[in-house]
């Protein structure tokens, strides 16, 4: 399966932890949705949506919110790179 190129960086995930550790997945998702408007100029809306989608997948898996931004980043990379890219399978 081909790997996906992800648009976000570890610094983008660190922004989600600013202001304290998120108390719930719902709060983390809200922060992700709001962060789309405050990100660095080179991060666009669709790229921020990629983070939110990854967070939703992690939330559905169950488990606790990762304790550090780095742990969350690694989990997001793992879950999002497992999704096949368009054209990965023959029609």
């Amino acid at each position: 399966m081909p790997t996906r190129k992800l648009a976000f960086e570890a610094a983008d995930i660190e922004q989600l932890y600013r202001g304290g550790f998120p108390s719930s997945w719902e709060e983390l998702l809200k922060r992700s949705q709001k962060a789309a408007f405050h990100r660095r100029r080179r991060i666009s809306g669709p790229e921020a949506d990629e983070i939110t989608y990854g967070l939703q997948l992690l939330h559905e898996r169950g488990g606790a919110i990762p304790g550090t931004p780095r742990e969350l980043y690694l989990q997001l990379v793992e879950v999002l790179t497992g999704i096949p890219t368009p054209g990965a399978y023959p029609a």
Side-chain angles (χ1 to χ4, degrees), residues 15-16 30-41 43-49 51-52:
Q15 288 184 358
L16 300 178
K30 285 180 188 175
R31 288 182 187 185
S32 174
Q33 291 165 348
K34 287 181 183 178
F37 303 108
H38 303 292
R39 292 182 186 275
R40 291 175 284 137
R41 279 184 279 151
I43 299 295
S44 68
E47 293 164 342
D49 291 343
I51 295 170
T52 302

Side-chain angles (χ1 to χ4, degrees), residues 16-87:
L16 300 178
Y17 281 74
R18 289 194 182 130
F21 186 80
S23 61
S24 66
W25 281 104
E26 290 74 19
E27 181 184 343
L28 190 59
L29 286 163
K30 285 180 188 175
R31 288 182 187 185
S32 174
Q33 291 165 348
K34 287 181 183 178
F37 303 108
H38 303 292
R39 292 182 186 275
R40 291 175 284 137
R41 279 184 279 151
R42 62 186 188 165
I43 299 295
S44 68
E47 293 164 342
D49 291 343
E50 181 179 54
I51 295 170
T52 302
Y53 180 67
L55 290 173
Q56 290 171 340
L57 292 175
L58 290 175
H59 176 49
E60 290 172 5
R61 278 186 173 179
I65 297 170
T68 65
R70 174 140 179 87
E71 290 173 10
L72 178 58
Y73 174 78
L74 294 174
Q75 287 185 22
L76 284 170
V77 168
E78 179 184 335
V79 74
L80 291 172
T81 56
I83 299 171
T85 57

Side-chain angles (χ1 to χ4, degrees), residues 1-17:
M1 177 182 328
T3 58
R4 292 176 52 92
K5 180 174 170 38
L6 300 176
F8 61 89
E9 301 172 355
D12 301 316
I13 303 307
E14 289 173 4
Q15 288 184 358
L16 300 178
Y17 281 74

